[in-house]
Amino acid sequence: MLMELLKSGCSLQDAIAFLPGDVTWLNDKLQAGEEFSTILQEDNRPWIRHFTFFIV
C-alpha cells in the first residue's frame, strides 16, 4: 500500500499517515532529519522488515 501511494505521487509523509497504528515515531524521526533508508535499516518492527524485503 505504501509503495502504491508513493507511486501515485503522494509525499512520503502523507503516505505514512495511511499506515495502520501509531506512526508518530516515524514522522518524528523524519522530521528530525533521519533518512528513511536509515530508519528502515535500523528498525526491527515486523512491518518494516516486510516492507524492506519487498523494496530491496
Side-chain angles (χ1 to χ4, degrees), residues 13-31:
Q13 192 168 7
D14 288 342
I16 288 171
F18 287 100
L19 293 173
D22 181 18
V23 292
T24 54
W25 64 271
L26 183 53
N27 279 324
D28 291 345
K29 286 183 176 219
L30 292 170
Q31 290 295 325

Side-chain angles (χ1 to χ4, degrees), residues 10-54:
C10 268
S11 70
L12 178 58
Q13 192 168 7
D14 288 342
I16 288 171
F18 287 100
L19 293 173
D22 181 18
V23 292
T24 54
W25 64 271
L26 183 53
N27 279 324
D28 291 345
K29 286 183 176 219
L30 292 170
Q31 290 295 325
E34 288 190 47
E35 299 264 342
F36 188 57
S37 60
T38 303
I39 296 168
L40 293 178
Q41 292 170 4
E42 294 177 350
D43 201 294
N44 288 320
R45 294 168 209 259
W47 71 268
I48 289 183
R49 294 285 124 227
H50 183 79
F51 178 75
T52 306
F53 175 80
F54 284 104

